[in-house]
Amino acid sequence: MPRAGRKFLIGQITLTSKITLSLLALAVVLTVGCGAARPSKYYQLTVPGDSAPVANANPLPITLLIGRLTAPALYREDQIVYSSGGENMGTYEYQKWSEPPTEMIVEVMLRQFRASGRYHGVYNLRSDIHGDFLLHGHLYDFKEVGGNPLLARVTMELELREIKTGAVVWTHFYTHDEPASGKDVSAVVAALNKNVQQGIAEFRASLDQYFAEHPPAQPALKQ
């Protein structure tokens, strides 16, 4: 083979080898990168179990339906939200809720009101049960607020609507910043959980006061 042809062939082989090595190196990098992907961690609020309601000889003669909790788009997803205390907000990439906050809070409300034994019945609005009152509301804040210490901010408002008349007969606004016990996300989650439980306990106490001042009519006795 002429010398020029040999040089051309050697050059082609060298170029091909370099390309092959580059592709192999890229494949190794991608494989290592995929293998080192950070796993996501999931959190949830403490939901009371399906234990028997507190014994109550005289529960309120009403059936309470727990409705939707509306919220900004961020709180209808599974991301854990943080802010610096101003208008800027962000979400953690690998730290998430097991369910959207709106759904978790509604479940906690349902279980807590049911377990209280204060009502003849407590059901989810999605059930086929006919109710006397509808409890629903709006979630404004459910996030970490930067600072020292970190704060877990919960702000929400509930209203009670009489189903028969459509009238709103009670509203209650709750907002509180619960200090976190540490600097990691799990500490903030624990503080958010505590804040939600406190908020729902406050709603329950306020509703108890409302019905004490406006007792529902007892059902008529059958003749």
Side-chain angles (χ1 to χ4, degrees):
M1 180 181 291
R3 181 177 299 175
R6 288 199 301 272
K7 288 183 177 180
F8 176 78
L9 180 59
I10 293 172
Q12 288 292 96
I13 294 173
T14 303
L15 179 60
T16 302
S17 300
K18 288 181 178 179
I19 293 174
T20 301
L21 288 173
S22 298
L23 290 175
L24 287 173
L26 179 61
V28 169
V29 170
L30 291 175
T31 302
V32 172
C34 292
R38 185 178 175 184
S40 296
K41 291 188 66 176
Y42 292 88
Y43 303 87
Q44 63 183 10
L45 298 180
T46 301
V47 179
D50 286 322
S51 56
V54 174
N56 190 338
N58 295 297
L60 293 170
I62 63 173
T63 297
L64 182 66
L65 300 182
I66 306 296
R68 292 178 59 241
L69 198 62
T70 59
L74 276 178
Y75 303 134
R76 287 182 273 118
E77 304 294 338
D78 63 357
Q79 298 99 333
I80 294 180
V81 180
Y82 64 85
S83 75
S84 58
E87 297 179 352
N88 294 330
M89 300 170 65
T91 59
Y92 287 105
E93 183 176 1
Y94 299 106
Q95 313 275 357
K96 300 181 180 182
W97 296 109
S98 60
E99 296 180 87
T102 49
E103 296 182 17
M104 290 191 297
I105 294 173
V106 165
E107 187 64 22
V108 175
M109 289 171 51
L110 175 69
R111 299 288 184 87
Q112 281 208 21
F113 276 89
R114 181 178 289 168
S116 70
R118 289 282 295 147
Y119 304 92
H120 175 71
V122 180
Y123 301 93
N124 195 297
L125 178 62
R126 293 192 294 268
S127 67
D128 57 0
I129 302 296
H130 173 74
D132 302 297
F133 291 89
L134 171 64
L135 184 66
H136 64 124
H138 187 81
L139 178 65
Y140 296 96
D141 293 305
F142 190 74
K143 63 184 179 181
E144 169 193 310
V145 179
N148 188 19
L150 293 176
L151 300 174
R153 177 170 297 169
V154 174
T155 303
M156 54 183 170
E157 185 173 22
L158 296 184
E159 70 176 31
L160 185 71
R161 185 179 299 273
E162 187 175 17
I163 294 176
K164 184 177 181 180
T165 64
V168 175
V169 298
W170 168 93
T171 61
H172 190 84
F173 182 83
Y174 174 84
T175 184
H176 177 64
D177 287 344
E178 180 68 27
S181 61
K183 292 292 186 181
D184 57 355
V185 175
S186 60
V188 174
V189 167
L192 283 168
N193 183 54
K194 181 180 178 181
N195 206 346
V196 167
Q197 309 297 332
Q198 291 177 170
I200 295 176
E202 185 175 305
F203 288 132
R204 284 177 48 199
S206 180
L207 264 183
D208 285 347
Q209 182 179 349
Y210 168 78
F211 282 118
E213 297 171 354
H214 306 83
Q218 294 290 333
L221 295 176
K222 294 183 179 180
Q223 299 296 328

